């Protein structure tokens, strides 16, 4: 694999950034500082980071209700992300979107939709736009195992396939659509098997191994930029917490939870880096402190920021 | 200057051609709009030949992905025009229209624009029953973030469609099956009609009729009949429901003191209900009689010709409605 030491460090750092960011969001939620609900990305960091490490700034991503990790991995600012989650005027969407609808069009982050599966045709459209404009960008679409049961999955993937659009369909299979286990709602073992129906390649990777995700995405990006069309990549992963803030996730057997928590993507990468000699333990602590500081700054920025003026609710309906 | 007389269908096509020639980001997608079928109502005839199949794109039967892909293209620098073959089928794409296209600009704090046009034909009267005949424009009025245009003449069709294509907002562009072959004067040059500007299609002094799409024609016919009975009718066509030109409607009501609202959509929660509510709220003092609405009863559209005829508003019903309020109010 053509992964430089710097890239590996950056990947570790980005995963850690997402994890610590999400832990901070969880903490702030507990203090009643975050309005509404939250869907934490903790546990799935290797997917967003493994994918986005292959993307350029001008490439696109389409995200979901569980989208904080996608934003951070694509390079969104922590302060504006946190401010949005807190409903502040300085947030990415001026407080109009919140946790489930963060977007940063300046870095190709085309936004998070909270309708499960709705982003799939939108990513296909971004791919169509790329093809019509004749650039070599790609569009990566994140969605869950649950979304692969939506009609939009069938329609959107098929359309991208027939037109050979440069789209990466990234299925984050965390085993549960809210509380419903995959085996109760699909007979195939792997979402990836569905690729056959569209005549496109489907691959399945350990979604808690950032290097595996990286490698699969690298290949898919090459295909896409070459004009060979989309790839469906299924990343097997697991949420560390429940579906949303209110969900204690009691439907998940303890053995299963323990097994997955042991496969923590960040710990595994950390071990890999140390064994590989990329890092010393002390360097890792340094990185952790650096990340923590950036998150503290983001929190401070968000907390110090004003809420929008009530009358702003009436603005931005039309361009 | 000699202004050509062309059909509503050709006027729409002229708008598409002119905009596609001058803006390479404009492209079309939809089911059977290309060279093999030319669109179910032949609006896109000849376009694939001129602009190629990349820009006049036949799609699978996937309404949700047609609109979703159009949304994705619109937020990344293109100006897609999606055709949904029948207005009824917008239901299949409703999430993409109402939750995605309409909300992206707002939900993301104004970061993104969605320059998307959804062209689709509404209306009954051709005996194709419950899944191909509805008038659902009120659905889209109810979703902030969408503009809703509904031309009643070839001239308006061209001018409004050009405005829709150049707009940075998603526009639901409502056409009417029975209007496609209607002829009217349409200048060959470039012109646009701004949204939110109603047109008084006929001036009158006794009663105001506000009507849309095919009902404008029926209302004009009714006005002719009523004139013979000595009733002078003003016919106002809003041309866009969102934004709605309240001023022109209210000004007309101030003049006539009588209002009949005619629309082919269902009466409950529909176009006529909204306009009536606006007048009740903002101009009731100018009314000399209660508002009368002529709309489709709240039923699905039946197939059999006498059944369909029974429920779609016609000129006789419009004449009756006008006479009723004249009796009460004059």
């Amino acid at each position: 694999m053509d992964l430089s030491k710097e890239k590996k460090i950056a990947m570790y750092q980005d995963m850690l950034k997402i994890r610590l960011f999400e832990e901070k969001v969880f903490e702030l939620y507990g203090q009643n500082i975050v309005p509404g609900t939250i869907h934490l990305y903790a546990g799935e960091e290797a997917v967003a980071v493994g994918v986005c490490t292959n993307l350029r700034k001008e490439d696109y991503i389409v995200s979901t209700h569980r989208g904080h990790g996608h934003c951070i991995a694509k390079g969104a600012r922590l302060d504006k992300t946190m401010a949005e989650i807190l409903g502040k005027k300085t947030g990415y969407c001026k407080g109009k979107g919140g946790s489930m609808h963060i977007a940063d069009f300046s870095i190709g982050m085309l936004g998070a939709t909270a309708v499960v599966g709705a982003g799939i045709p939108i990513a296909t459209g971004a791919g169509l736009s790329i093809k019509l404009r004749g650039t070599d960008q790609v569009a990566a679409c994140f969605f869950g195992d649950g979304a692969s049961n939506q009609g939009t999955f069938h329609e959107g993937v098929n359309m991208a396939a027939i037109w050979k659009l440069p789209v990466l369909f990234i299925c984050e299979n965390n085993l549960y659509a809210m509380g419903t286990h995959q085996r109760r709602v699909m007979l195939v073992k792997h979402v990836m098997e569905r690729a056959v129906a569209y005549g496109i390649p489907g691959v399945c990777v350990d979604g808690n191994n950032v290097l595996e995700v990286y490698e699969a995405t690298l290949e898919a990006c090459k295909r896409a930029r070459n004009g060979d069309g989309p790839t469906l990549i299924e990343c097997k992963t697991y949420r560390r917490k429940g579906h949303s803030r209110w969900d204690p996730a009691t439907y998940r057997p303890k053995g299963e939870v323990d097994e997955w928590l042991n496969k923590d993507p960040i710990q595994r990468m950390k071990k890999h880096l140390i064994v590989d000699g990329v890092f010393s333990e002390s360097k890792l602590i340094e990185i952790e402190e650096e990340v923590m500081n950036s998150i503290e700054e983001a929190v401070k920025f968000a907390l110090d920021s004003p809420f929008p003026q009530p009358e702003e609710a009436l603005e931005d309906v039309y361009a | 200057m000699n202004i050509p007389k062309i059909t509503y269908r050709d006027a729409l096509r002229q708008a598409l051609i002119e905009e596609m020639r001058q803006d390479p980001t404009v492209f079309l997608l939809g089911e059977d709009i290309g060279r093999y079928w030319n669109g179910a109502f032949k609006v896109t005839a000849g376009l694939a030949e001129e602009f190629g199949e990349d820009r006049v794109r036949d799609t699978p039967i996937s309404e949700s992905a047609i609109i979703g892909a159009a949304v994705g293209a619109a937020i990344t620098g293109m100006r897609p025009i999606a055709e949904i073959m029948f207005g009824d089928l917008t239901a299949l794409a409703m999430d993409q229209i109402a939750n995605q296209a309409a909300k992206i600009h707002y939900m993301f704090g104004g970061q993104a624009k969605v320059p998307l046009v959804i062209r689709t034909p509404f209306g009954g009267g051709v005996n194709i029953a419950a899944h191909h005949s509805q008038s659902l424009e009120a659905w889209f009025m109810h979703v902030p973030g969408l503009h809703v245009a509904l031309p009643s003449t070839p001239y308006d069709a061209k001018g409004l469609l050009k405005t829709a294509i150049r707009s940075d907002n998603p526009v639901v562009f409502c056409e009417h099956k029975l209007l496609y072959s209607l002829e009217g004067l349409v200048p060959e040059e470039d012109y646009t009609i701004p949204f939110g500007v109603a047109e008084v299609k006929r001036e009158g002094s006794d009663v105001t009729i506000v009507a849309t799409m095919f009902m404008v024609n029926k209302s004009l016919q009714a006005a002719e009949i009523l004139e013979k009975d000595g009733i002078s009718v003003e016919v106002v066509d809003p041309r866009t429901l969102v934004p709605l030109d309240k001023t022109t409607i209210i000004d007309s009501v101030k003049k006539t003191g009588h209002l009949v609202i005619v629309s082919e959509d269902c009466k409950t929660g529909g176009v006529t209900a909204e306009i009536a509510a606006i007048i009740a709220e903002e101009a009731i003092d100018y009314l000399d009689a209660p508002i009368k609405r002529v709309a489709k009863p709240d039923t699905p559209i039946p197939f059999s010709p006498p059944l369909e005829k029974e429920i779609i508003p016609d000129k006789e019903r419009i004449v009756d409605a006008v006479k009723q309020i004249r009796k009460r109010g004059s």
Side-chain angles (χ1 to χ4, degrees):
Chain A
M1 205 186 303
D2 62 337
L3 259 180
S4 66
K5 183 178 163 180
E6 288 70 31
K7 228 174 198 175
K8 281 187 180 177
I9 297 173
M11 287 164 92
Y12 174 74
Q13 196 164 354
D14 280 352
M15 287 201 292
L16 194 65
K17 208 188 274 179
I18 296 170
R19 173 69 54 87
L20 297 179
F21 184 89
E22 293 296 60
E23 283 176 0
K24 190 48 98 174
V25 172
F26 188 78
E27 185 188 317
L28 294 173
Y29 197 94
Q31 297 164 16
N32 274 332
I33 293 170
V34 181
T37 189
I38 47 173
H39 303 81
L40 297 177
Y41 198 69
E44 305 184 7
E45 295 89 347
V47 182
V49 172
V51 170
C52 290
T53 302
N54 282 295
L55 303 183
R56 307 166 185 161
K57 188 181 175 194
E58 65 271 20
D59 290 331
Y60 301 121
I61 64 167
V62 175
S63 170
T64 69
H65 58 285
R66 196 178 305 290
H68 307 167
H70 306 141
C71 295
I72 295 170
K74 189 67 172 73
R77 289 171 51 163
L78 297 182
D79 53 358
K80 291 178 82 170
T81 306
M82 190 61 89
E84 188 59 37
I85 291 168
L86 265 52
K88 296 300 182 76
K89 186 181 167 64
T90 54
Y92 266 116
C93 311
K94 302 191 276 191
K96 289 205 169 87
S99 166
M100 288 190 278
H101 302 296
I102 301 170
D104 180 359
F105 279 70
S106 71
I107 56 163
M109 161 57 184
L110 301 181
T113 163
V115 176
V116 171
I120 298 173
I122 294 176
T124 294
L128 176 58
S129 156
I130 292 166
K131 187 165 180 162
L132 288 169
R133 286 183 284 108
T135 69
D136 72 341
Q137 294 161 281
V138 300
C141 181
F142 295 98
F143 58 94
D145 45 300
S148 79
N149 285 333
Q150 283 280 27
T152 48
F153 172 82
H154 172 67
E155 292 189 17
V157 176
N158 182 57
M159 200 174 264
I162 56 167
W163 293 339
K164 289 197 181 312
L165 302 180
V167 186
L168 278 52
F169 293 105
I170 310 293
C171 178
E172 303 176 313
N173 184 348
N174 61 19
L175 271 180
Y176 292 87
M178 273 181 55
T180 302
H181 193 280
Q182 182 198 330
R183 68 171 171 270
R184 295 171 58 205
V185 289
M186 62 178 92
L187 291 183
V188 290
K189 194 166 175 212
H190 308 293
V191 172
M192 162 272 273
E193 293 171 56
R194 294 181 164 176
V196 177
Y198 310 108
I200 63 168
V203 288
C204 191
V205 298
D206 177 351
N208 279 20
N209 181 338
V210 70
L211 299 174
E212 256 193 55
V213 176
Y214 173 84
E215 220 169 337
T217 314
L218 183 69
E219 195 52 41
C221 273
K222 269 187 209 154
R223 264 180 59 78
R225 293 195 210 278
N226 266 339
D228 295 330
T231 305
L232 173 61
I233 301 174
E234 177 182 12
C235 305
K236 305 277 196 193
T237 186
Y238 207 71
R239 326 179 282 250
R240 290 183 72 83
K241 297 197 183 294
H243 164 74
S244 58
R245 180 60 177 90
W246 300 107
D247 171 25
T250 48
Y251 46 83
R252 304 196 302 189
K254 188 173 181 311
E256 180 190 281
V257 176
D258 291 344
E259 187 194 326
W260 277 96
L261 292 188
N262 278 333
K263 291 194 275 193
D264 184 84
I266 296 174
Q267 289 310 316
R268 282 165 77 186
M269 185 60 174
K270 189 174 182 178
K271 207 176 281 174
H272 168 83
L273 293 174
I274 292 169
V275 172
D276 230 24
V278 176
F279 272 136
S280 62
E281 197 96 50
S282 62
K283 172 75 181 165
L284 289 175
I285 292 168
E286 206 177 290
I287 288 177
E288 197 167 323
E289 276 169 6
E290 209 176 288
V291 168
M292 207 54 232
N293 286 339
S294 66
I295 290 167
E296 290 300 347
E297 273 170 38
V299 172
K300 186 173 179 333
F301 171 84
L303 288 173
D304 290 348
S305 290
F307 280 107
Q309 292 300 310
E311 57 271 22
E312 287 174 42
L314 302 177
E315 295 169 3
D316 294 322
V317 179
Y318 292 95
Chain B
M1 203 181 73
N2 196 15
I3 299 174
K5 200 172 187 187
I6 62 171
T7 62
Y8 184 93
R9 170 188 293 112
D10 290 342
L12 291 167
R13 186 187 304 118
Q14 223 174 71
L16 294 173
I17 290 172
E18 286 176 16
E19 294 305 299
M20 288 181 83
R21 281 184 187 156
Q22 62 134 3
D23 183 350
T25 67
V26 177
F27 74 100
L28 316 182
L29 72 169
E31 294 157 10
D32 268 317
I33 62 168
R35 67 176 82 235
Y36 302 98
W37 202 290
N38 295 317
F41 294 94
K42 309 300 176 196
V43 172
T44 50
L47 297 192
E49 286 82 349
E50 175 170 351
F51 298 104
E53 288 175 5
D54 264 358
R55 289 181 71 196
V56 183
R57 197 165 269 271
D58 277 334
T59 66
I61 299 180
S62 301
E63 280 79 7
S64 181
I66 290 169
I67 303 300
V71 170
I75 59 176
T76 55
M78 302 298 288
R79 289 189 176 272
I81 303 170
E83 177 173 315
I84 297 295
M85 196 183 285
F86 288 89
D88 315 67
L89 311 178
T90 57
L92 288 155
M94 209 55 180
D95 173 64
Q96 291 295 336
I97 299 171
N99 286 328
Q100 314 302 330
K103 294 182 173 56
I104 280 176
H105 183 72
Y106 184 89
M107 194 166 79
F108 299 148
Q111 286 183 68
K113 288 173 183 160
V114 190
L116 156 67
V117 180
I118 301 167
R119 288 185 41 242
T120 196
F122 286 120
V126 291
N127 309 128
I128 47 177
H131 289 169
H132 292 81
S133 305
Q134 296 170 87
S135 294
L136 300 171
E137 53 272 24
W139 283 5
F140 305 103
M141 283 177 87
H142 199 70
V143 182
L146 300 175
H147 279 159
V148 181
L150 61 178
S152 68
T153 67
Y155 180 87
D156 290 350
K158 178 175 172 183
L160 289 172
L161 183 52
K162 286 170 79 88
T163 300
I165 296 168
R166 294 179 196 180
S167 166
D168 284 333
N169 294 298
V171 179
V172 177
F173 196 86
C174 311
E175 300 168 8
H176 194 291
K177 296 172 197 84
L178 291 176
L179 287 174
Y180 283 125
S181 297
L182 179 93
E183 290 189 327
L185 299 178
V186 178
E188 272 173 326
E189 73 263 23
D190 176 41
Y191 68 91
T192 57
I193 296 172
F195 282 9
V197 179
E199 189 175 57
V200 176
K201 297 288 186 189
R202 177 194 171 105
E203 286 195 21
S205 54
D206 297 332
V207 176
T208 298
I209 296 180
V210 175
T212 62
M213 284 205 278
F214 194 54
M215 290 301 131
V216 174
N217 299 50
K218 302 251 171 154
S219 298
L220 289 169
Q221 289 167 18
E224 292 284 323
I225 296 168
L226 288 159
E227 191 177 26
K228 288 179 194 130
D229 293 337
I231 302 172
S232 167
V233 172
E234 178 146 300
V235 178
V236 179
D237 175 2
R239 300 197 290 193
T240 56
L241 293 174
V242 184
L244 182 68
D245 179 0
K246 293 195 284 190
T247 310
T248 301
I249 298 171
I250 291 172
D251 284 350
S252 180
V253 168
K254 282 182 185 171
K255 181 168 73 172
T256 65
H258 294 82
L259 177 62
V260 173
I261 311 164
V262 189
S263 174
E264 206 177 315
D265 69 325
C266 290
K267 194 167 184 179
T268 301
V271 173
T272 60
E274 182 58 34
I275 294 172
I278 290 168
I279 298 304
E281 211 166 42
E282 300 183 29
I284 200 162
D285 294 341
Y286 302 101
L287 288 175
D288 298 325
I291 297 166
K292 195 83 192 163
R293 293 190 280 155
V294 182
K296 188 182 75 57
D298 296 333
T299 70
I301 311 258
F303 163 65
S304 180
L307 297 180
E308 186 178 22
K309 191 173 179 310
E310 172 62 23
I311 62 159
I312 300 208
D314 55 18
K315 60 175 186 288
E316 289 76 19
R317 246 166 285 187
I318 300 168
V319 167
D320 281 353
V322 169
K323 286 183 174 169
Q324 278 176 38
I325 56 167
R326 279 293 291 175
K327 212 180 288 166
R328 289 194 53 173
S330 53

